Amino acid sequence: MADNNGEGSPEGYAFPLRNPNVTLNERNFAAFTHRSAAAHPWHDLEIGPEAPAVFNCVVEISKGGKVKYELDKNSGLIKVDRVLYSSIVYPHNYGFIPRTICEDSDPIDVLVLMQEPVLTGSFLRARAIGLMPMIDQGEKDDKIIAVCADDPEFRHYRELNELPPHRLAEIRRFFEDYKKNENKKVDVEAFLPAQAAIAAIKDSMDLYAAYIKAGLQR
């Protein structure tokens, strides 16, 4: 036990106790000084038992946000990449599907339609309803279009063509325009149905599994 002048306290630190009868617990000291590895949202969060149709999604950017957050693949933290150069905001919550990987070496992207913005770093269950094929500066960068599986207003949707046409037009226009002021070209191709999205997720799951297997064999 440390007295009020700090004698006996860890590393010589003084703990000015107001109540001299309080005993400092050694287990608490260990908890304060022990550094444990944080869970990595890409690798440690399970994709979910119903994948690839219904899956967990980590939200990077909230609906209505203008800050482009993205996963830092080394640390697992969410970092600020940039603030959008245009006077537009993300039309829906945007993030990635854990335990997937695509040709660009990133997890597969997903736009999740639901009623409310979700905090960055949260995860939710989503259902794939379509695929938006996209070419970003000459490179394939497809997006999964999904709905929150636990939002009573959106969870009944199963296909993109069930959505109001204007909503799809908004999504297309956002991705066509959000990099224009950076002088970067983005082409959005014709939307594809849920089955194409499910196939794309399955491919990204298989590729992720192949990377993990190869890593374990080294």
Side-chain angles (χ1 to χ4, degrees), residues 11-190:
E11 302 179 0
Y13 290 116
F15 292 88
L17 298 178
R18 296 180 181 273
N19 184 347
N21 296 319
V22 173
T23 300
L24 298 181
N25 190 309
E26 292 297 328
R27 287 186 302 175
N28 288 343
F29 287 142
F32 293 145
T33 58
H34 177 67
R35 295 177 62 85
S36 60
H40 197 298
W42 185 11
H43 306 300
D44 294 330
L45 178 63
E46 293 184 1
I47 192 171
E50 300 175 83
V54 178
F55 48 84
N56 286 327
C57 163
V58 178
V59 175
E60 295 169 298
I61 305 166
S62 298
K63 173 183 177 181
K66 191 176 177 180
V67 178
K68 175 65 169 70
Y69 297 99
E70 66 179 35
L71 174 72
D72 179 73
K73 291 185 286 188
N74 290 326
S75 68
L77 298 175
I78 302 294
K79 69 177 182 180
V80 175
D81 178 62
R82 67 187 185 278
V83 177
L84 296 185
Y85 283 47
S86 303
S87 57
I88 54 178
V89 296
Y90 275 80
H92 299 283
N93 295 301
Y94 180 85
F96 65 89
I97 303 176
R99 300 189 182 182
T100 64
I101 192 168
C102 298
E103 296 172 8
D104 61 0
S105 298
D106 289 336
I108 196 166
D109 297 321
V110 57
L111 190 73
V112 184
L113 282 62
M114 57 188 300
Q115 296 181 67
E116 298 294 330
V118 174
L119 290 174
T120 295
S122 303
F123 75 93
L124 54 83
R125 288 195 319 132
R127 179 189 307 280
I129 63 169
L131 179 71
M132 185 180 72
M134 196 173 97
I135 305 297
D136 187 347
Q137 301 171 81
E139 295 185 358
K140 183 178 178 181
D141 192 18
D142 296 348
K143 313 295 184 188
I144 302 297
I145 308 297
V147 293
C148 178
D150 298 298
D151 185 326
E153 184 174 324
F154 283 87
R155 65 187 180 193
H156 65 280
Y157 288 109
R158 294 293 188 274
E159 289 287 349
L160 277 177
N161 60 16
E162 298 172 2
L163 295 172
H166 183 70
R167 189 176 297 274
L168 295 178
E170 284 183 330
I171 293 170
R172 173 187 287 276
R173 178 59 67 184
F174 170 80
F175 284 101
E176 287 175 338
D177 290 351
Y178 81 131
K179 290 187 176 180
K180 276 190 175 179
N181 283 351
E182 299 176 66
N183 296 315
K184 295 177 180 178
K185 181 175 175 58
V186 175
D187 293 312
V188 178
E189 300 176 356

